[in-house]
Amino acid sequence: MTHTASADRELRSAARHLSRRRFLTVTGAAFALAFGTNLPHTAHAVPALDPLRIRRDPFTLGVASGDPRPDSVVLWTRLAPEPFRADSGLPAEPVTVTWEISRDPDFRRPAARGEVTAHPEFHHAVHAEVDGLRARTRYHYRFRVGDWTSPVGRTRTAPAADADPGSLRFALVACQAYHQGYFTPLRHLAREDDLDLVFHLGDYLYEYPVDSAGGDRRYTDTVLPDHFDRETVTLEDYRLRYSLYKSDPDLKAAHAAHPWVVTWDDHETENNYADDVSEDGVPPEDFLVRRAAAYRAYYENMPLRRPQRPQGPDLPLYRRLHYGRLAQFDVLDTRQYRDNQANGDGWQIPTPESEDRARSMTGEAQERWLLDGWATSRAVWNVVPQQVVFARRRNRTEGPFPVSMDAWDGYPASRQRIVAGARSAEVANLVVLTGDVHVHYALDLKEDYDDPGSRTIGVELVTSSVSSGRDGAEHPGNWELMLAANPHLKFYDGRRGYVVVTLDRTRLRADYRTVSHVTSPGGTVSTAASFVSHAGRPGLVRL
């Protein structure tokens, strides 16, 4: 039995003896037993691996950066000479890794240098939080271990807190199912010039089996190991799945080109889960063990800071970033704390259960954090990167009207509290960023969706998927119906792609990029539509 498999068995055994309430509040020895397994041994010295013993390139999964601040950025890599093996081809020993950051790609103008330990307990992942950097400055970075040097990545710090940066340019991506196509949109995203950052809005990976041919990636000669052809459940499963995804050259290129800010949706753990409720009715104490494994692997593979380090089945992912006085980004987590979906997960006619005012998409603490943050915001634009569609959607022109129980439509009271909080804080320029649905949407957020002439309170930009849903179509089968049923829906395109957003003090511009195909290599990119919304006068206008 592998060391990881043993850890999974110990976690599961411990968790079965805990009630739901006890499970989430347990501390001390019981917590250490349940979720202290496989943590780095910091209380005493552990012999380190001689880096010269690493005989194969350990940087097969590339490099990444994230969560920029005015003086700091997180640098990430994971050592994996053999990424498709459970141990990644390294012994269970810590490794010292050197990082370097410079003002130029040739490292002739060094800015900082340091060392960090890649612990086997975290699958030899590296999270280097580099401080003392200059605000809104482009940097290049790399890692070294033994005789090996990583690819060079490019990153950028945020503007100073009191600065007026003039403009800000970022991209939105979501939903990248490896087995449903190539990550062609990410190849084009890597070539986008002068992006300040990229927001990944969830479904970074999918838990479903991937066959030896890689699903729809049948144009390559790669034969994948059998262990990918099963659903991810254990820590070893999730770790291997990240290795598969991060081996993709287009994903590596996009990470290396720009700093990323990430948040998850459901598939990083399990389809349509809600808090401790599994899609398949697994007992909560068992599902939380799976969630702990998924969250741990997520942290190991993302450029996240220390506050996002998981503790068992909990990972505090919601957080706030400031870009001078121009934008405040409030990154939400709409999976970990939500009430279970009412009436099933699909499109259903609302019921007293779904309309219950006590139901929450975010949980009480995150909701209060968001509203308090708006109350003190001095930014021109208040932007909310999150997962599922916020605006109301109907798929009929005559009632009764089903709505999606998995989106904010299934939590209308929770959505109304958010809208009321924005109104109370006098948020003039509200922008919601969304993934999940594998299509491009451009939506106005309305005070009263039953009255198309009512006040527009903000805008929602929904990015299509990277590959989920395969190639898609410009006009999906319900295209005319959705536009007719939702007058606030200004644009709908079912092809794969991403969105590029430009903000300045006077307006927002959204460019919806689409690619020609993803089920075979070599797709081209084009701009399907562009919209603007003016500061102080929310509402999307097509250019």
Side-chain angles (χ1 to χ4, degrees):
M1 178 180 293
T2 67
H3 188 55
T4 303
S6 176
D8 279 319
R9 187 177 66 175
E10 184 175 342
L11 293 175
R12 192 171 301 280
S13 175
R16 283 200 182 102
H17 298 288
L18 300 173
S19 68
R20 160 67 175 160
R21 180 177 178 84
R22 176 65 176 156
F23 192 93
L24 294 182
T25 59
V26 66
T27 58
F31 181 88
L33 173 64
F35 292 106
T37 304
N38 259 7
L39 295 179
H41 298 288
T42 57
H44 54 85
V46 177
L49 175 68
D50 180 356
L52 295 177
R53 289 175 54 197
I54 301 176
R55 303 305 177 118
R56 300 179 63 176
D57 181 9
F59 298 110
T60 58
L61 305 181
V63 299
S65 68
D67 279 21
R69 295 177 181 171
D71 63 346
S72 175
V73 70
V74 182
L75 307 181
W76 174 93
T77 192
R78 183 158 66 79
L79 307 182
E82 298 180 66
F84 291 176
R85 282 178 44 176
D87 64 2
S88 298
L90 289 174
E93 301 171 18
V95 183
T96 299
V97 180
T98 299
W99 56 263
E100 300 171 279
I101 192 164
S102 174
R103 293 289 304 278
D104 71 299
D106 297 322
F107 291 81
R108 295 171 181 168
R109 301 169 64 195
R113 186 178 185 273
E115 292 183 344
V116 64
T117 300
H119 291 283
E121 295 87 352
F122 282 111
H123 213 202
H124 289 107
V126 171
H127 298 82
E129 298 185 28
V130 182
D131 299 318
L133 302 177
R134 295 175 57 179
R136 207 179 194 196
T137 300
R138 174 68 54 80
Y139 289 99
H140 298 80
Y141 63 94
R142 64 187 178 188
F143 298 90
R144 293 182 185 273
V145 60
D147 293 330
W148 301 97
T149 301
S150 75
V152 175
R154 185 177 64 175
T155 193
R156 194 171 190 173
T157 52
D162 60 349
D164 181 358
S167 65
L168 167 66
R169 194 165 181 264
F170 58 89
L172 320 178
V173 294
C175 305
Q176 48 199 44
Y178 184 95
H179 61 289
Q180 292 192 330
Y182 297 89
F183 292 167
T184 306
L186 297 181
R187 174 162 53 87
H188 294 289
L189 176 65
R191 298 171 180 172
E192 291 278 352
D193 188 39
D194 204 30
L195 290 181
D196 287 271
L197 69 168
V198 171
F199 288 99
H200 197 292
L201 302 173
D203 295 344
Y204 189 97
L205 58 68
Y206 281 69
E207 77 276 27
Y208 304 134
V210 180
D211 65 22
S212 61
D216 287 312
R217 297 187 175 212
R218 57 190 179 276
Y219 294 96
T220 59
D221 296 329
T222 301
V223 178
L224 298 179
D226 289 341
H227 55 60
F228 290 119
D229 199 11
R230 62 177 182 244
E231 184 163 334
T232 55
V233 176
T234 67
L235 179 58
E236 183 174 293
D237 292 338
Y238 286 107
R239 284 173 164 174
L240 283 166
R241 192 60 55 88
Y242 280 104
S243 292
L244 174 63
Y245 275 61
K246 284 182 169 291
S247 68
D248 180 272
D250 296 328
L251 179 56
K252 288 193 286 188
H255 269 302
H258 316 292
W260 285 38
V261 175
V262 299
T263 187
W264 54 39
D265 193 16
D266 52 342
H267 288 289
E268 290 90 348
T269 301
E270 182 199 53
N271 179 56
N272 285 351
Y273 83 95
D275 191 4
D276 66 342
V277 180
S278 166
E279 177 187 36
D280 298 322
V282 173
E285 62 270 22
D286 284 341
F287 179 69
L288 286 170
V289 172
R290 179 178 181 178
R291 198 178 93 170
Y295 284 13
R296 184 189 187 106
Y298 185 85
Y299 169 79
E300 289 172 348
N301 286 280
M302 296 296 155
L304 292 168
R305 293 182 180 273
R306 291 185 193 91
Q308 279 67 61
R309 181 166 158 171
Q311 295 186 0
D314 303 312
L315 190 158
L317 193 59
Y318 65 87
R319 59 207 190 278
R320 180 169 293 125
L321 293 88
H322 298 276
Y323 268 68
R325 291 180 286 131
L326 184 60
Q328 174 174 299
F329 295 101
D330 295 296
V331 183
L332 298 189
D333 170 1
T334 64
R335 283 292 163 189
Q336 186 172 183
Y337 313 106
R338 68 158 68 184
D339 289 304
N340 191 26
Q341 296 91 332
N343 315 315
D345 298 334
W347 287 65
Q348 302 289 342
I349 296 170
T351 64
E353 181 186 357
S354 65
E355 301 283 322
D356 185 346
R357 293 193 59 80
R359 285 170 49 77
S360 178
M361 175 69 86
T362 62
E364 183 179 354
Q366 184 178 194
E367 179 182 299
R368 176 46 50 197
W369 168 86
L370 175 63
L371 302 188
D372 287 348
W374 281 344
T376 58
S377 173
R378 297 296 178 264
V380 176
W381 300 92
N382 285 277
V383 186
V384 184
Q386 54 97 55
Q387 294 75 27
V388 294
V389 176
F390 189 81
R392 192 185 73 182
R393 286 178 300 157
R394 288 177 171 174
N395 61 4
R396 298 178 185 173
T397 55
E398 296 183 0
F401 299 106
V403 294
S404 173
M405 291 293 122
D406 192 52
W408 286 86
D409 275 335
Y411 302 76
S414 185
R415 176 172 58 194
Q416 185 54 41
R417 289 194 296 271
I418 300 300
V419 171
R423 185 185 306 115
S424 176
E426 299 182 346
V427 173
N429 301 302
L430 174 63
V431 182
V432 177
L433 310 178
T434 301
D436 182 54
V437 288
H438 309 169
V439 298
H440 281 323
Y441 286 146
L443 294 141
D444 285 346
L445 302 177
K446 305 295 289 186
E447 196 167 58
D448 181 0
Y449 290 100
D450 291 323
D451 177 9
S454 71
R455 187 169 72 95
T456 298
I457 60 173
V459 300
E460 182 171 11
L461 311 176
V462 181
T463 183
S464 188
S465 65
V466 169
S467 61
S468 305
R470 302 180 172 87
D471 291 331
E474 180 178 2
H475 294 160
N478 64 351
W479 184 77
E480 291 185 352
L481 176 60
M482 290 295 287
L483 289 171
N486 302 282
H488 56 288
L489 176 60
K490 306 299 182 181
F491 176 64
Y492 176 20
D493 190 306
R495 293 172 289 184
R496 309 286 72 86
Y498 57 97
V499 182
V500 175
V501 181
T502 306
L503 298 178
D504 62 30
R505 296 190 67 83
T506 63
R507 72 172 191 171
L508 168 154
R509 173 173 173 147
D511 294 303
Y512 285 82
R513 308 274 202 254
T514 57
V515 298
S516 56
H517 55 271
V518 296
T519 53
S520 60
T524 58
V525 69
S526 61
T527 301
S530 298
F531 289 83
V532 297
S533 179
H534 295 279
R537 291 184 287 123
L540 292 166
V541 179
R542 187 163 184 168
L543 294 177

